[in-house]
Amino acid sequence: MEGWDPQNLILPEVGKLCRSQSEYLDQHFKTQKDACSSSTSSSCLLSEWTKHCSDYDNRLLHLRTTLMDRTLSWISSSFRAKASLSNLDLTLSASSQYGTALKRLLGEELRLLALQLHRIHFIRQYVETALRLEALVGDLEDVVFSSGNHRPGNMFAKFSTLLTSQDFGVKEERLLKAIKAMNDVEEIIVNVEKSQQWHHLLKSVDHRVDKTLAILRPEALAEHRALLASFGWPPKLLASKVESGGLSKLLNPLLLMHGNEKKSYAQSFHVLCALQQLHSRREARKFKTLGQKECEIRLWAIDELVTPLAVRMEYHFVKWAEQPEFMFALVYRVTRDFMEGVSDILQPLIDAARLTSYSANEAWVSAMVHILSGFLTKNVFPALAERYKEKDMKLEVISLWLHLVDLIVAFDKQMQSLLRYETCLLFPDAQRRGISVLIVFCDRPDWLKIWAKMELKDGWKKLKAVLKDAKAWQIDDKHRVDFDVSTICETFLLSSREAHKAPFVAESALKIAQEMIDRCQTLPDILSRAKFVRSTVARFFWYFSNVLLLHCRNAELPPQELDGSAFVRACESINAARYVESKLQEWSDDASFLEMTIAENNSNMQEQHQGFYDDCFFEEEIKCLAELETNWLMEIVAVLLRQFENLTLEYNHTEDSNAFIEALQSLKNQLHVLKKNLNGKDFLDLWRSVADGLDHFICGSILGGDVKFSKKQSNEFGTDMQALFLVFQPFCARPEAFFPCIRDILKLLAMSGEEVKHLLVGKKSEKYMQSYGISHLRFDQVEKTLRKLKF
């Protein structure tokens, strides 16, 4: 130890020492002085450490020796086993005719032995699992049935008096113990389902647990109700008037709880949440594995608050049967006034119980809506549906029914506005729509059908009133734009009614349809909403398309009528159809209509067992309107072409340019009227169709006529065609591009005699004619035209 200096000793960092080492050093070396001194204590410690090191070295040597011996023993046993198997193989191989059979028999016995071992292992697992479940279920039944509360007539008798805190604590402890036991059972069942398929065992356990739950749940609910009654729930619903003349805010007993009351309520709430969480977990498993129907789980603790309120509310509802607006007002007022207590008191309790995906406000509002929808389902709509069957009462029932729906729609908006600050992650808008009194129609398709008939009849009545107005078919004068000769480019992105030049009746029809759609937006079931829209909005637009068709037919479009009034009436219907078609397409692209389309497609696949899909909700209605537009545009084109043909009969025989100019002037006037009254997109299709028709008509007149073209006549024909092009000049930069046949004929009439000779004797191919700039006439048509030339 000479020359040893503690100052130069390199020690490990404190953080790298284990706890026992740190405690040992702290005990013997409390200061630096203790470490530097060479006292007797230091010598004793050194001796102790030296002895420990010697002991550890001896133990390590012993372990090495033992490991070597066991390794040699295992190797020796392995060699002996290998030698025995080799001798057995040689013995079997040496046997003449019995060796192979014995070897095969031994292999079969080994396989059967492995199967038996596996079966024994499987049976042992089953027995162990069954014993564990039996022990847990037995403990559960002991906890539940030991208190004697399961005896008939004794379960709820004790709750007639107020509960003491001691009694409630004992009962809560027993309930929580039972819930824990059921959770343990459920955990084992879930693990078994992942690896085994012991259905009979699971059904037997589920039956016993369900039997226990059938006792625990009513007991827990009864205790909770008694606790609620002990601090004054339910409160009074109608408050007296205050000095200001309004109604005072309802007192909320939840906010008045304090001390032991608040603690007891929190404990009871926790028990109900734990029990519901267990119930929800079991129902989800049964739905997944046993194919049982999945139940809609509501927040039981909230339902227990609402149930006694419902009893008191129904007393007032019966008195207000003829004034349903009071029912809605009462439910909204109670819901709003108690929201503060529900949010401040119940939401923290839900969070503490770890009951995920539940909102106290959401559950509260939903339960209050359920009160009103339940009363309407039992007491209001059945009576109205029966009275609707009587002819004398139909008008009155329709009025009452639609008034009630108006109240429901307004009430749903009010109730959903109470949840506008709820998180969107847990409760998206699609789920929020489930909070609606219109749910009464989801389970009663017959009532939904009656409601749809009433809405359709009311909408049609409104539309007929609009049609009686003299301004129904008018278009805003400021949007009747005359065509401008200087216009070269025009956009056809139509959006508004004015851009479509649609009459007021089109906007009115869309507003009526939109009202129908808005009134069913809160229907919780998507397929029910789709059926309602099909029965109302879709049928309404079929009626409206018939209105447009009749308006067109009243125009009659005679070929001799040149004042344009008939064209104006046809344009009004076409514009209205175009505008409504664009809006229906816009609606079909909305998310809510896409949901309904998917729901209908899935329903059709299930019913018809075939892949029938609709990409657009209003596909059939859009097709009907588009067909109306196309048919009447073609009708107008046919009228224009017939008028032109009648006015140019003399020109085709005598080549009188005056007749042709008169026909062009008439055509120009008609196009002017159509340009002023028809929407841009349809007018574009119309004038191009007219140009194409004139191109073929004039070309056919030349090819089928007996007229010979001299140089002078060719020039006159070219001048007449330039006048024709000028009629279409306001609509495009190069109108001659839309008269390809006439343009080819003008090229042929301008050819010299030498060019005509080369073209007639040349190859009769398209490429050869294209070298002369002729691309839209066949060779026989080219030949006919050239033979009409006079040089």
Side-chain angles (χ1 to χ4, degrees):
M1 297 294 292
E2 293 184 11
W4 179 72
D5 186 4
Q7 300 288 342
N8 298 327
L9 183 63
I10 299 176
L11 296 175
E13 297 179 3
V14 178
K16 294 184 178 179
L17 296 175
C18 65
R19 183 179 179 182
S20 60
Q21 292 172 341
S22 299
E23 292 177 351
Y24 183 85
L25 292 175
D26 291 340
Q27 182 180 0
H28 292 86
F29 300 99
K30 298 181 180 179
T31 63
Q32 187 175 3
K33 184 178 179 180
D34 294 337
C36 296
S37 64
S38 56
S39 61
T40 306
S41 61
S42 299
S43 300
C44 292
L45 287 174
L46 180 61
S47 300
E48 183 181 349
W49 292 348
T50 304
K51 183 177 182 302
H52 284 323
C53 289
S54 178
D55 292 341
Y56 286 139
D57 288 339
N58 292 334
R59 291 176 63 184
L60 181 61
L61 180 61
H62 177 70
L63 289 173
R64 287 178 177 174
T65 304
T66 304
L67 178 63
M68 183 64 69
D69 292 342
R70 293 186 178 183
T71 302
L72 291 174
S73 176
W74 181 85
I75 292 173
S76 177
S77 300
S78 176
F79 283 155
R80 287 197 300 270
K82 183 178 180 181
S84 299
L85 291 174
S86 299
N87 293 334
L88 177 63
D89 184 63
L90 289 173
T91 302
L92 293 174
S93 300
S95 302
S96 56
Q97 68 265 23
Y98 301 106
T100 304
L102 185 60
K103 191 173 183 181
R104 186 166 53 251
L105 180 62
L106 184 60
E108 180 67 20
E109 289 293 332
L110 290 175
R111 187 183 67 82
L112 293 176
L113 178 61
L115 291 176
Q116 288 296 328
L117 288 174
H118 178 73
R119 183 170 176 269
I120 292 172
H121 176 70
F122 181 82
I123 294 174
R124 186 182 68 181
Q125 277 188 326
Y126 183 88
V127 171
E128 289 177 352
T129 303
L131 289 175
R132 288 175 62 195
L133 288 173
E134 176 61 33
L136 289 172
V137 175
D139 292 342
L140 171 64
E141 291 173 342
D142 289 341
V143 171
V144 174
F145 297 111
S146 62
S147 63
N149 288 343
H150 63 284
R151 293 195 302 269
N154 189 44
M155 186 179 298
F156 306 110
K158 68 172 77 61
F159 302 116
S160 58
T161 60
L162 294 179
L163 296 170
T164 65
S165 59
Q166 184 176 1
D167 290 341
F168 183 80
V170 173
K171 291 168 186 173
E172 181 209 2
E173 182 180 355
R174 185 174 63 84
L175 286 171
L176 289 176
K177 190 174 180 181
I179 292 171
K180 182 181 182 304
M182 285 187 287
N183 275 317
D184 293 339
V185 172
E186 190 66 21
E187 192 68 32
I188 294 177
I189 292 176
V190 170
N191 291 332
V192 168
E193 286 180 343
K194 292 179 180 178
S195 57
Q196 306 293 344
Q197 298 294 327
W198 298 332
H199 295 301
H200 293 292
L201 176 62
L202 298 184
K203 286 182 179 180
S204 175
V205 173
D206 277 332
H207 176 71
R208 293 173 67 182
V209 174
D210 288 339
K211 186 178 179 181
T212 306
L213 268 175
I215 295 175
L216 283 181
R217 180 179 176 182
E219 182 178 338
L221 293 177
E223 291 181 5
H224 193 76
R225 290 169 193 157
L227 186 63
L228 287 174
S230 68
F231 57 80
W233 189 274
K236 293 182 179 180
L237 300 181
L238 298 180
S240 58
K241 294 185 178 180
V242 295
E243 295 179 359
S244 60
L247 289 176
S248 62
K249 190 174 183 180
L250 298 176
L251 294 178
N252 190 348
L254 295 177
L255 297 175
L256 301 178
M257 290 188 303
H258 57 83
N260 291 334
E261 284 184 345
K262 194 170 185 179
K263 182 179 179 181
S264 298
Y265 181 76
Q267 292 172 347
S268 179
F269 194 96
H270 175 68
V271 169
L272 281 186
C273 288
L275 196 59
Q276 179 170 4
Q277 196 169 29
L278 170 67
H279 180 75
S280 176
R281 183 182 178 191
R282 286 176 54 79
E283 291 300 321
R285 174 180 58 80
K286 291 178 182 180
F287 175 74
K288 181 179 180 181
T289 60
L290 303 180
Q292 296 185 10
K293 184 178 179 182
E294 186 176 17
C295 298
E296 180 186 359
I297 306 299
R298 293 154 55 108
L299 204 54
W300 295 349
I302 299 291
D303 287 345
E304 289 307 309
L305 288 173
V306 171
T307 300
L309 282 176
V311 176
R312 291 197 174 184
M313 283 186 175
E314 288 187 5
Y315 170 76
H316 299 287
F317 290 168
V318 173
K319 295 189 298 182
W320 296 334
E322 300 298 327
Q323 297 170 305
E325 57 271 12
F326 291 163
M327 303 181 195
F328 293 92
L330 177 61
V331 175
Y332 173 71
R333 180 166 178 258
V334 172
T335 306
R336 182 199 60 196
D337 288 352
F338 290 164
M339 280 282 283
E340 181 182 357
V342 169
S343 179
D344 295 345
I345 303 298
L346 302 188
Q347 189 60 53
L349 296 179
I350 293 174
D351 297 337
R354 297 181 179 179
L355 201 59
T356 58
S357 300
Y358 278 95
S359 162
N361 289 343
E362 182 99 7
W364 170 252
V365 173
S366 178
M368 295 300 292
V369 169
H370 185 71
I371 291 177
L372 188 54
S373 63
F375 180 81
L376 295 176
T377 302
K378 292 186 297 183
N379 303 95
V380 178
F381 280 109
L384 290 177
E386 287 297 321
R387 291 169 62 188
Y388 181 74
K389 297 177 182 178
E390 303 175 12
K391 292 184 178 180
D392 298 339
M393 302 296 295
K394 269 196 174 183
L395 293 179
E396 181 182 352
V397 171
I398 290 175
S399 177
L400 292 174
W401 192 301
L402 295 181
H403 175 62
L404 196 57
V405 171
D406 289 337
L407 294 174
I408 291 175
V409 172
F411 174 78
D412 286 345
K413 291 180 180 179
Q414 285 182 317
M415 298 297 278
Q416 291 178 8
S417 68
L418 295 175
L419 299 171
R420 62 183 179 274
Y421 298 119
E422 288 292 301
T423 174
C424 296
L425 294 177
L426 294 179
F427 305 100
D429 290 340
Q431 185 177 349
R432 185 73 46 77
R433 285 200 299 265
I435 302 177
S436 172
V437 182
L438 291 180
I439 197 172
V440 300
F441 295 106
C442 295
D443 297 328
R444 293 297 301 266
D446 54 335
W447 292 356
L448 183 70
K449 188 176 180 181
I450 293 174
W451 177 29
K453 286 182 179 180
M454 293 178 178
E455 289 287 353
L456 180 61
K457 188 173 183 178
D458 185 65
W460 180 239
K461 182 180 177 181
K462 293 177 181 178
L463 183 63
K464 287 196 293 185
V466 172
L467 291 172
K468 292 179 181 179
D469 191 348
K471 298 181 179 179
W473 296 99
Q474 286 185 2
I475 305 173
D476 294 344
D477 291 336
K478 61 181 179 180
H479 295 285
R480 291 178 180 267
V481 182
D482 294 341
F483 65 82
D484 186 0
V485 178
S486 62
T487 301
I488 297 177
C489 180
E490 185 176 2
T491 59
F492 300 101
L493 298 177
L494 308 179
S495 57
S496 63
R497 179 185 66 83
E498 292 79 6
H500 283 86
K501 298 182 181 179
F504 291 109
V505 68
E507 190 71 48
S508 300
L510 288 169
K511 286 182 179 179
I512 295 171
Q514 185 65 61
E515 289 175 0
M516 297 180 189
I517 295 172
D518 292 341
R519 288 160 71 82
C520 73
Q521 278 300 306
T522 54
L523 264 172
D525 182 56
I526 297 178
L527 196 57
S528 297
R529 204 178 327 134
K531 290 179 180 178
F532 179 83
V533 175
R534 289 284 183 211
S535 301
T536 55
V537 178
R539 293 187 64 182
F540 177 79
F541 280 118
W542 280 102
Y543 293 160
F544 183 68
S545 65
N546 289 333
V547 171
L548 299 180
L549 183 61
L550 289 174
H551 189 69
C552 282
R553 287 177 176 173
N554 292 335
E556 294 182 354
L557 295 180
Q560 67 276 11
E561 186 174 348
L562 303 178
D563 60 358
S565 60
F567 286 146
V568 171
R569 293 177 66 90
C571 289
E572 290 168 351
S573 288
I574 293 172
N575 292 343
R578 170 68 67 181
Y579 178 51
V580 173
E581 176 191 344
S582 68
K583 284 297 180 181
L584 290 181
Q585 186 62 58
E586 181 182 327
W587 289 353
S588 297
D589 294 337
D590 186 74
S592 61
F593 281 95
L594 292 176
E595 286 180 346
M596 289 189 281
T597 303
I598 294 172
E600 285 188 326
N601 289 335
N602 293 338
S603 177
N604 290 333
M605 287 184 63
Q606 293 176 1
E607 293 177 1
Q608 303 175 8
H609 304 287
Q610 60 182 5
F612 177 75
Y613 289 97
D614 282 333
D615 296 328
C616 177
F617 188 84
F618 291 109
E619 184 175 4
E620 294 300 323
E621 291 74 21
I622 290 174
K623 284 182 180 178
C624 177
L625 293 170
E627 184 178 354
L628 184 146
E629 297 166 35
T630 302
N631 291 343
W632 282 93
L633 281 175
M634 292 299 99
E635 185 68 22
I636 293 174
V637 170
V639 169
L640 292 175
L641 293 178
R642 285 198 300 268
Q643 289 180 353
F644 188 85
E645 180 183 3
N646 293 336
L647 293 174
T648 56
L649 287 176
E650 186 177 354
Y651 173 77
N652 293 333
H653 292 89
T654 63
E655 300 180 24
D656 183 6
S657 295
N658 291 330
F660 190 76
I661 296 300
E662 181 182 352
L664 291 181
Q665 185 61 42
S666 175
L667 178 63
K668 181 179 179 180
N669 293 337
Q670 298 291 1
L671 290 176
H672 173 85
V673 173
L674 292 169
K675 169 69 175 178
K676 185 177 181 180
N677 292 278
L678 194 59
N679 68 83
K681 187 179 185 306
D682 284 326
F683 182 74
L684 175 67
D685 296 336
L686 183 137
W687 75 256
R688 288 183 175 181
S689 298
V690 172
D692 183 68
L694 291 176
D695 185 51
H696 285 84
F697 170 70
I698 294 175
C699 178
S701 299
I702 293 174
L703 294 175
D706 299 329
V707 180
K708 298 293 185 179
F709 289 92
S710 62
K711 187 67 174 177
K712 178 181 178 182
Q713 290 171 323
S714 297
N715 291 335
E716 290 178 353
F717 178 78
T719 302
D720 291 340
M721 294 304 102
Q722 291 300 322
L724 174 63
F725 298 158
L726 286 176
V727 173
F728 294 87
Q729 186 69 49
F731 316 137
C732 60
R734 294 181 60 251
E736 61 273 11
F738 297 93
F739 296 89
C741 295
I742 293 177
R743 195 171 66 247
D744 284 356
I745 290 176
L746 291 176
K747 291 178 182 178
L748 293 174
L749 296 180
M751 285 184 176
S752 62
E754 192 67 24
E755 289 176 325
V756 171
K757 181 178 179 181
H758 283 293
L759 187 57
L760 289 175
V761 299
K763 296 180 180 179
K764 300 180 180 180
S765 65
E766 292 183 2
K767 289 186 178 180
Y768 184 73
M769 290 192 297
Q770 287 176 1
S771 64
Y772 285 90
I774 309 301
S775 56
H776 293 85
L777 295 178
R778 301 189 306 273
F779 185 82
D780 60 324
Q781 294 174 329
V782 171
E783 185 178 13
K784 275 186 179 182
T785 304
L786 293 178
R787 296 192 184 281
K788 292 179 179 294
L789 292 176
K790 294 189 298 183
F791 295 99

